[in-house]
């Protein structure tokens, strides 16, 4: 019984670490993409004619 709990806790801890790393990567990627698209919008603002 104790060994089953020990294995379950180990898997749960590993899953938490993996999900944390994935969240950081996704967050950084989306942040960089937002910065690039915002910069392009600001740069193209002067080309708009009304």
């Amino acid at each position: 019984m104790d060994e089953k709990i020990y294995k379950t806790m180990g898997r749960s801890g590993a899953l938490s670490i993996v999900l944390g790393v994935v969240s950081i990567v996704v967050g950084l990627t989306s942040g960089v993409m937002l910065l690039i698209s915002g910069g392009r919008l600001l740069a193209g603002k002067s080309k708009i004619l009304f």
Side-chain angles (χ1 to χ4, degrees), residues 1-16:
M1 182 72 176
D2 290 335
E3 187 175 328
K4 185 177 180 180
I5 294 172
Y6 183 77
K7 285 183 180 181
T8 302
M9 288 179 66
R11 289 181 186 145
S12 177
L15 179 64
S16 295

Side-chain angles (χ1 to χ4, degrees), residues 3-39:
E3 187 175 328
K4 185 177 180 180
I5 294 172
Y6 183 77
K7 285 183 180 181
T8 302
M9 288 179 66
R11 289 181 186 145
S12 177
L15 179 64
S16 295
I17 291 173
V18 168
L19 287 176
V21 170
V22 169
S23 297
I24 290 172
V25 169
V26 168
L28 286 174
T29 303
S30 63
V32 168
M33 289 173 61
L34 285 170
L35 285 171
I36 290 172
S37 65

